[in-house]
Amino acid sequence: MRGRQLGRAATCLLTIVAAVAVTACGSGQEAVDRPASGRADGVRADSDVERGAAEKAALDAYSGYLTASRTASRRGDPHAPELSRFLADPLLTRVQLSIRDAKEHGAMRTGTLRSDPTVIAVDLDSDPATVEIQDCLDATGYRLVYSKDQKVVPGSGGGRHLATATATRYPDGRWLISSGAAHQDQPC
């Protein structure tokens, strides 16, 4: 019991010393408020900056993914190096298999894919950190065609639909798109 009382007394003494140190450097209320709110504002500002940087890096990775996959698909090259610059597994393997499958069937993607992505969630506290992206993909001008004659593969017409993706921050600091889904049953 006596040890517990000494512990409480020491804690109270440290609290008083800390309070005196804060107020001794300034005059009145201003000195007490400035350090506390300055620290909170600084943490909040740092957090906002980090969140903004994560959102930008994730959207850049997403844009790079769309461009790289269109280019690789047009060339019929499932191992195009630009894919691994923006994609990570399991999505990287899915995209590579899709490109390989189209190539083996004598087809390729061509045209324009329009995108309007937005960040819907940022989790910098998870391990690894993630950013969730939602997009309205417009694939009306993006077609799967036969390589020989450029005729549209039947049943491959595109429309406007919802797509989602997850960007993940890897230990080397890169943000890569690690998962994604096209929700063709959800028009946008």
Side-chain angles (χ1 to χ4, degrees), residues 52-64 119 130-133 166-168 175-177:
E55 288 180 6
K56 181 182 181 329
L59 289 171
D60 287 348
Y62 182 76
S63 176
V119 170
T130 59
V131 174
E132 300 297 325
I133 298 169
T166 301
T168 303
W175 285 88
L176 302 173
I177 305 301

Side-chain angles (χ1 to χ4, degrees), residues 5-136:
Q5 287 175 335
L6 285 175
R8 284 187 200 146
T11 302
C12 287
L13 183 60
L14 286 174
T15 303
I16 292 169
V17 169
V20 170
V22 169
T23 57
C25 295
S27 58
Q29 190 69 22
E30 178 183 80
V32 173
D33 285 346
R34 187 178 297 145
S37 68
R39 187 174 352 175
D41 288 347
V43 169
R44 192 175 317 115
D46 288 348
S47 177
D48 290 346
V49 167
E50 187 178 358
R51 179 184 171 91
E55 288 180 6
K56 181 182 181 329
L59 289 171
D60 287 348
Y62 182 76
S63 176
Y65 147 56
L66 293 179
T67 300
S69 63
R70 283 191 308 255
T71 302
S73 182
R74 192 175 317 115
R75 291 189 312 224
D77 183 3
H79 300 291
E82 59 266 20
L83 291 173
S84 61
R85 283 185 53 214
F86 301 103
L87 292 167
D89 280 323
L91 186 58
L92 175 60
T93 298
R94 278 189 22 223
V95 168
Q96 289 172 324
L97 290 173
S98 176
I99 293 169
R100 187 186 78 199
D101 189 46
K103 181 180 179 180
E104 287 176 357
H105 289 92
M108 64 179 202
R109 293 242 174 231
T110 187
T112 303
L113 180 66
R114 299 194 191 289
S115 171
D116 186 25
T118 56
V119 170
I120 57 171
V122 176
D123 188 353
L124 298 177
D125 295 326
S126 66
D127 186 23
T130 59
V131 174
E132 300 297 325
I133 298 169
Q134 183 172 300
D135 195 359
C136 180

